[in-house]
Amino acid sequence: QVQLVESGGGLVQAGDSLRLSCAASGRTFSDYSMGWFRQAPGKEREFVASISRFGEHTNYADSVKGRFTISRDNAVNTMYLQMNSLKTEDTAVYSCALYRRGSYFRISGYDNWGQGTQVTVSS
């Protein structure tokens, strides 16, 4: 079993940057591709980005492409999400999860969700 803990969220202004972390404990971190999702108030959880086991392949939602960068450091069992040029519409709870099967873009392909970290972007 793998436990995931997100951190790095906070309150920032539009145009600012934040870096989220997803720390993993348990089984070998590099065994898993992983993803970031977010859920804004009153909306469904949506895909943000995914990364393969050793970081050689990444995917991004169109809404964050060019602004967000997903990465991982298997030596310290941590995945990151660098968020630049933040917009008010990026406000959400951001969660990480392990990829298991199917499309990288669908929630159903992931499990072992972390508890999430709140990101609030003010105008």
Side-chain angles (χ1 to χ4, degrees), residues 8-61:
L11 172 63
V12 297
Q13 292 188 325
D16 285 351
S17 299
L18 272 179
R19 188 176 79 157
L20 305 184
S21 298
C22 172
S25 60
R27 294 191 59 182
T28 306
F29 184 65
S30 59
D31 283 349
Y32 304 97
S33 295
M34 301 185 66
W36 284 100
F37 286 74
R38 67 186 182 185
Q39 187 167 20
K43 296 187 177 182
E44 294 187 351
R45 184 177 284 177
E46 64 176 7
F47 170 81
V48 175
S50 67
I51 189 166
S52 56
R53 292 171 57 195
F54 298 101
E56 68 273 28
H57 299 296
T58 58
N59 297 291
Y60 295 93

Side-chain angles (χ1 to χ4, degrees), residues 3 57 72 121:
Q3 293 77 43
H57 299 296
R72 65 190 296 164
V121 185

Side-chain angles (χ1 to χ4, degrees), residues 47-90:
F47 170 81
V48 175
S50 67
I51 189 166
S52 56
R53 292 171 57 195
F54 298 101
E56 68 273 28
H57 299 296
T58 58
N59 297 291
Y60 295 93
D62 288 343
S63 59
V64 307
K65 204 171 291 184
R67 299 188 298 121
F68 290 10
T69 302
I70 189 171
S71 62
R72 65 190 296 164
D73 185 342
N74 290 345
V76 294
N77 292 352
T78 304
M79 176 178 68
Y80 305 98
L81 186 68
Q82 177 67 42
M83 306 186 296
N84 298 330
S85 302
L86 282 162
K87 304 176 181 180
T88 55
E89 51 263 45
D90 294 318

